[in-house]
Amino acid sequence: MARELSPAVSPPRAAPARDGGRAAPVPAPGRRRRARGWLYVLPALAVYLGFAIWPALNTLRLSFLTWDGILPPVWAGFSNYIKIFRDSALYEAILHSLALIVFFSVIPIGVGLLMTALLMGKVRRGMTFFRIVFFLPQVLPLVAVGITWRWLYGESGVVNQFLDLVGLGSITRAWLGDYGLALIALGLIGTWVMSGLCMMLFLAGAQKIDPSLYEAARLDGAGALRQFRHVTVPGVRREITVAGVITTIAALASFDLVFVTTNGGPAGQTNVPGLLVYRLAFNEGDIGGASALAVVLTVIVVAVVSAVRYFTRDDQS
């Protein structure tokens, strides 16, 4: 019996020849997708290059010049950096910023973890209200926050009125004008601002934890504290890293809150590098020195943030 022959399948045809009898290459689908992806990225990339990368490079260039913003600039080499590192005010400002990390980062992360432990799986009704209330400081402009807290900390402000009410009128004072307590009072404002952000991040991370892990921990006899320590905290490790990076940058690069509340006073006890950059540029007209200090501040921020990411890294990633 004759075999049935299957119909011949013709091989794929090449693109018609256009020049010299050679077939024109057909772009690969993956290459077309990458090209289309770059078209979507280009607008954001152009904005980032224009408003982030280029100003940073220009600041680095200005740090090697002597310029008052009006007359033609003059090449200064490393003299701006030498002058900055010889100024004791820089080291005091750096120490103040490092102290603010405790109030802007360490305490808010601890408060955020505590609020996560209290709210996670316990409160169902009204959870949205709690989130809005605690996240509200992140929505408010820091200038408005600073003005409000300056009034709260005043001699006749709400803080002193409350202390009088509970019988502690002997310790009332102008908190932001106190030589020894101004930095702490300023830091507590940062704690109030950043705690809600940390709590929201940790709540979002805790909701992704597999409930079976809590069930297994309960079967092993773990109480609420051990469940929080061995299940919740490891489950939100990445969120802790993100919160640590954001809050640390906010502490080291703080300017608007300090400028509005204390302007570096009293007697320079709340000076921070960002405020010194502003004074050099706009009060003293030393654009080169301000740029050099901004570069130094950037290096400090990168170094501290890198250390935060290293010590809070996820070993399993």
Side-chain angles (χ1 to χ4, degrees):
M1 184 175 62
R3 291 182 303 172
E4 293 184 1
L5 298 177
S6 58
V9 179
S10 59
R13 297 181 179 178
R18 294 186 179 179
D19 53 345
R22 298 176 59 185
V26 179
R31 187 179 303 175
R32 287 199 299 267
R33 284 196 297 267
R34 285 194 296 269
R36 192 180 301 116
W38 275 107
L39 290 178
Y40 287 109
V41 172
L42 279 178
L45 183 62
V47 172
Y48 184 73
L49 291 175
F51 292 94
I53 302 301
W54 167 246
L57 296 176
N58 195 41
T59 300
L60 180 63
R61 180 183 67 87
L62 291 175
S63 67
F64 295 101
L65 304 176
T66 298
W67 187 40
D68 60 357
I70 300 176
L71 298 177
V74 178
W75 177 258
F78 289 95
S79 61
N80 289 326
Y81 291 94
I82 295 174
K83 180 177 64 176
I84 287 173
F85 282 111
R86 287 178 177 176
D87 189 358
S88 60
L90 171 64
Y91 300 99
E92 294 178 357
I94 292 175
L95 289 177
H96 296 159
S97 294
L98 295 177
L100 288 179
I101 292 177
V102 176
F103 297 96
F104 277 69
S105 183
V106 178
I107 298 178
I109 288 176
V111 172
L113 289 173
L114 177 62
M115 296 304 298
T116 301
L118 295 176
L119 296 177
M120 184 61 187
K122 298 294 190 300
V123 179
R124 295 301 180 184
R125 299 182 59 184
M127 179 68 76
T128 303
F129 172 77
F130 279 106
R131 291 181 176 179
I132 293 175
V133 169
F134 283 104
F135 193 73
L136 187 61
Q138 287 294 315
V139 181
L140 300 175
L142 284 181
V143 173
V145 170
I147 293 174
T148 303
W149 276 94
R150 188 176 61 185
W151 172 74
L152 293 175
Y153 275 136
E155 293 185 1
S156 59
V158 174
V159 174
N160 285 335
Q161 292 179 15
F162 174 76
L163 292 175
D164 284 329
L165 184 64
V166 297
L168 297 176
S170 60
I171 66 172
T172 59
R173 66 198 68 197
W175 297 95
L176 293 175
D178 188 274
Y179 185 84
L181 297 175
L183 186 63
I184 297 176
L186 176 64
L188 291 176
I189 302 176
T191 300
W192 178 76
V193 172
M194 294 297 172
S195 294
L197 172 65
C198 294
M199 186 201 70
M200 291 292 292
L201 288 173
F202 300 156
L203 278 176
Q207 290 176 349
K208 297 184 296 184
I209 299 176
D210 190 351
S212 63
L213 297 177
Y214 290 100
E215 184 178 354
R218 284 192 295 268
L219 291 177
D220 289 339
L225 183 59
R226 292 183 61 188
Q227 291 180 34
F228 174 75
R229 178 182 175 185
H230 295 288
V231 179
T232 304
V233 173
V236 298
R237 181 180 297 273
R238 294 183 179 179
E239 284 74 16
I240 293 176
T241 301
V242 173
V245 169
I246 294 175
T247 54
T248 300
I249 293 176
L252 294 176
S254 57
F255 165 74
D256 41 8
L257 190 61
V258 180
F259 181 78
V260 172
T261 53
T262 64
N263 196 22
Q269 287 303 297
T270 57
N271 271 335
V272 291
L275 188 61
L276 296 182
V277 172
Y278 172 83
R279 288 175 178 171
L280 282 174
F282 297 101
N283 293 348
E284 302 180 18
D286 187 2
I287 306 299
S291 300
L293 182 55
V295 172
V296 173
L297 177 59
T298 302
V299 173
I300 294 173
V301 171
V302 172
V304 175
V305 168
S306 299
V308 170
R309 294 191 60 185
Y310 175 79
F311 287 108
T312 59
R313 71 189 187 280
D314 188 355
D315 295 333
Q316 297 179 355
S317 60

